[in-house]
Structure formats: structure tokens, C-alpha cells
């Protein structure tokens, strides 16, 4: 990205920066989600780590991930509805 004068950005350059920041935030959010799921579900489902997962550990991990994602979906939907209501009030 080339800037003609120091301190000035074109509209296209600003949009490109904003898009890049949004993408980086999305990646960071996904990484945080994966770390949280891994941490919580691992501690819940794998009491004694070994070289392989047994079937009960695999089932527990799958159910834990499903619950975590369902909860995240409910929270996201609720937050979106609240934002929409706030926008309507303005």
C-alpha cells in the first residue's frame, strides 16, 4: 500500500486497513475459541492423559464441543437481538 503524502490515506486504503483488521480479529476470535474449548473440554473429559483416547473420552469431547458451540450460538444470537433492539430505539 503506497501513500502519496505522509499521514494521509485514500478511502480505498482506509477500507483495506479496516478489512485487514477485521480479518485479524476474526482469526484471533477463532483461536481464542479453540483454546477455550481445548482447555475446558480436555480438563473435563480426559482425567488421565495417555497415548490414545478411549471411546468414552472421544464421546465426552464431542459432546463438550457441541455444548460449547451451542452455548456460543445462543449467546451470539441474544447479543445480536439486543443490539438490534438498541438500534431500533435510536
Amino acid at each position: 500500500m503506497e501513500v502519496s503524502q505522509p499521514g494521509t490515506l485514500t478511502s480505498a486504503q482506509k477500507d483495506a486497513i479496516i478489512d485487514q483488521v477485521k480479518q485479524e480479529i476474526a482469526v484471533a476470535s477463532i483461536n481464542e475459541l479453540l483454546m477455550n474449548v481445548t482447555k475446558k473440554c480436555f480438563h473435563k473429559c480426559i482425567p488421565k492423559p495417555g497415548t490414545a483416547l478411549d471411546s468414552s473420552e472421544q464421546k465426552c469431547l464431542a459432546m463438550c464441543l457441541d455444548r460449547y458451540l451451542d452455548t456460543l450460538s445462543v449467546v451470539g444470537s441474544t447479543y445480536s437481538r439486543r443490539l438490534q433492539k438498541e438500534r431500533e430505539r435510536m
Side-chain angles (χ1 to χ4, degrees):
M1 186 178 320
E2 189 176 315
V3 178
S4 57
Q5 295 178 346
T8 61
L9 295 174
T10 67
S11 179
Q13 290 169 327
K14 289 177 186 177
D15 290 343
I17 291 170
I18 290 170
D19 287 343
Q20 183 178 357
V21 169
K22 285 180 182 178
Q23 288 174 358
E24 289 175 11
I25 290 170
V27 169
S29 295
I30 290 170
N31 284 336
E32 183 178 359
L33 171 67
L34 289 174
M35 285 189 318
N36 286 335
V37 168
T38 300
K39 180 179 167 184
K40 292 176 191 297
C41 294
F42 183 84
H43 288 299
K44 177 181 175 20
C45 298
I46 305 175
K48 192 172 185 182
T51 58
L53 297 174
D54 65 30
S55 62
S56 64
E57 291 170 335
Q58 290 177 11
K59 184 176 180 179
C60 180
L61 286 171
M63 291 175 64
C64 182
L65 177 60
D66 287 345
R67 282 192 307 268
Y68 197 88
L69 292 176
D70 287 344
T71 302
L72 187 63
S73 176
V74 169
V75 170
S77 296
T78 302
Y79 182 70
S80 293
R81 283 193 302 273
R82 284 188 180 178
L83 283 177
Q84 184 64 32
K85 286 180 183 179
E86 289 296 320
R87 288 184 190 133
E88 290 171 359
R89 289 183 198 169
M90 294 180 160

